[in-house]
Amino acid sequence: MQGQIRKVVIIGGGTAGWITAGLLAAQHRGSGSRELDVVLVESPDIPTIGVGEGTWPSMRMTLQKIGIHEADLVRECDASFKQGTEFVDWSATDGDNIYYHPFSFPAEYSSLKLANHWLDVSDRGSFAEFVTPQSAVITAGLAPKQVSTPEYAFNVNYGYHFDAGKFAKLLHDHAVNSLGVEYISANVVRIESDDDGDVACVVLDSGATVAGDLFVDCTGQRSMLIGQHYGVGLESMKQYLFNDAAIAVQVPYAKPDDAIASVTRATAVEVGWIWDIGLQTRRGIGHVYSTAHSDEAQAMARVRAYVERTSPGIDLDELTFRTIPFEPGYRKQFWVNNCVAVGLSGGFIEPLEASALALIEQAASIISEQLPANREIMTVVAKRFNARMHYHWEAVIEFLKLHYVLSQRDDSEYWKDCRDPESCPEALRDKLTLWQQQPPWHDDAPRVDELFPSASYQYVLYGMGFRPQYESAHGSHKEEERPRVDKLLHANSERTRQMLGALPTNRELVRAMTSLRGVA
Ligand SMILES: Cc1cc2nc3c(=O)[nH]c(=O)nc-3n(C[C@H](O)[C@H](O)[C@H](O)COP(=O)(O)OP(=O)(O)OC[C@H]3O[C@@H](n4cnc5c(N)ncnc54)[C@H](O)[C@@H]3O)c2cc1C
């Protein structure tokens, strides 16, 4: 057959490059079906971005597909278990403003609108507390599963926090040693095209060339193939989300057995917010801010104050603070000719809700699952890929903006600008109008591969203090549903009681798992 796809060349060895290589090789090499060559070229001189430590539950499935054991991840990557995000001071600065966006869905979510029932008693406790035991598990500092729970299974849903550099190394070793991915350490210095504009090969600094049928651009913010070679511009999203820089720092625990939080803590500050991610040996902390509203010195003062407040006794002068500028936005096209962008080369928006790795997982698994057999089919797959990724990016922007537009904070120009309805995407404005009379529901996030299902919207909406204005918000079937709801709430509180009695702390689970080695 003409133009068969037999060799994929991935440029870049960050998380995007290795996840793509791992998924492709696990699915298409040695499976007896189509034998595919997977080559990854990585510059020995250009470091990876080195951040990206919070993931979604989807990472469990990705690791399973690639064939990595959970115990190996926990042991090799300083990893811990993440059950969602804790938002502090987002709606107001009264010192007691906390809500969770947990990973577990509200009970019986496919068919029951528990939100309608909670709205009647919303003054008695949080939405998350009402609908899932996970809220109490997080508050108690417990892990999402027991030591004896099989790998990747759970009592309450979870993803991971891990060291990004160690994670890329684990993926690299597994892809090369177990999945037969060819690794070339070299700088790509030039790209050569054939007559119809496809990339024919990349030229390395050694003078050697690497030819291929499909090229994956994982070169990070450089976007060497899609951005530089094909000239696809970055569509800025600054009109919605203003943050465009981060200051990251790694902070050791005061004592080696200090508790490890099982959520990412995201604390809103005067300009932007601060992430706080607990690994086994350290916390990863970073301040995301808008350079239009704050200079670097002011941002540095804010992150230093946060570290000082949350890590008493730490010598700030021993720490290395790293500033990372970024342009919030995504490419107009992700797949052009025979070249597709995955990861930062395709775009980046601030890491609130950790959507970047989840998007990488989505992109890489679409490429792997729909790997075109030949060049003709590739054109169709590319068109569909572009439409799908465009949808996901729009959804991410809307979901992140929700956290800002609902805030009541007015302690700075930054928060006033964030709340300005003019800075809200029209589709989100429409949804907010609709949610005045009904909770977010499946129609609001209708795809099966949705990054943020409507349950996520419920958690943030009600966590931020949003309440519907109209009577019809209470739904028409409430009375009929009452016996089912009562039974469910009783079962939830029973499950909560059992979990609080049986689950280990995050630290205890991590400690037990680091002594295991790749047990299936
Ligand atoms: C401040 C910040 C915080 C973040 N936090 C999170 C988070 O909590 N959760 C989350 O999901 N995501 C997060 N992200 C995003 C996440 O870090 C990235 O999506 C992820 O690390 C993937 O990066 P990458 O592989 O695309 O790029 P990189 O890590 O930058 O890798 C680029 C690779 O390309 C190679 N390369 C470049 N040019 C050449 C060349 N000419 N020849 C050969 N090789 C080349 C480099 O050597 C490198 O290996 C965060 C990002 C930032 C900026």
Side-chain angles (χ1 to χ4, degrees), residues 10 12-13 18 39-46 172 176 182-188 204-206 208 210:
I10 298 163
W18 286 114
V39 180
L40 187 144
V41 185
E42 180 187 16
S43 163
D45 306 315
I46 303 169
H172 169 145
V176 172
E182 184 188 344
Y183 176 66
I184 301 173
S185 174
N187 287 295
V188 170
L204 309 182
D205 46 5
S206 63
V210 184

Side-chain angles (χ1 to χ4, degrees), residues 12-13 15-16 43 46 48-49 51-52 54 188 218-219 224 344 348 351 356-357:
T15 319
S43 163
I46 303 169
T48 60
I49 190 108
V51 281
V188 170
C218 295
T219 58
M224 196 177 181
L344 297 176
F348 179 64
L357 290 177

Side-chain angles (χ1 to χ4, degrees), residues 337-355:
N337 285 65
N338 65 337
C339 178
V340 54
V342 178
L344 297 176
S345 60
F348 179 64
I349 310 270
E350 61 179 271
L352 188 68
E353 297 281 8
S355 55

Side-chain angles (χ1 to χ4, degrees), residues 2-121:
Q2 274 268 301
Q4 271 190 301
I5 310 303
R6 290 211 185 89
K7 183 171 172 185
V8 179
V9 180
I10 298 163
I11 318 295
T15 319
W18 286 114
I19 286 180
T20 310
L23 284 172
L24 276 169
Q27 187 169 353
H28 297 282
R29 286 185 56 78
S31 60
S33 50
R34 184 149 52 112
E35 191 70 14
L36 185 79
D37 287 335
V38 181
V39 180
L40 187 144
V41 185
E42 180 187 16
S43 163
D45 306 315
I46 303 169
T48 60
I49 190 108
V51 281
E53 305 187 323
T55 73
W56 271 75
S58 54
M59 186 56 81
R60 298 202 319 275
M61 202 195 291
T62 298
L63 293 171
Q64 271 177 299
K65 282 191 201 163
I66 295 176
I68 289 181
H69 287 294
E70 186 168 54
D72 292 338
L73 172 86
V74 173
R75 200 183 44 254
E76 304 291 329
C77 302
D78 209 4
S80 65
F81 297 91
K82 169 179 172 180
Q83 297 179 56
T85 303
E86 176 185 275
F87 291 93
V88 182
D89 287 349
W90 280 78
S91 39
T93 50
D94 54 17
D96 186 26
N97 197 270
I98 292 180
Y99 75 94
Y100 295 142
H101 172 194
F103 286 147
S104 288
F105 278 24
E108 299 192 8
Y109 190 69
S110 59
S111 61
L112 184 65
K113 290 184 186 173
L114 266 184
N116 276 336
H117 297 267
W118 171 76
L119 284 166
D120 286 344
V121 292

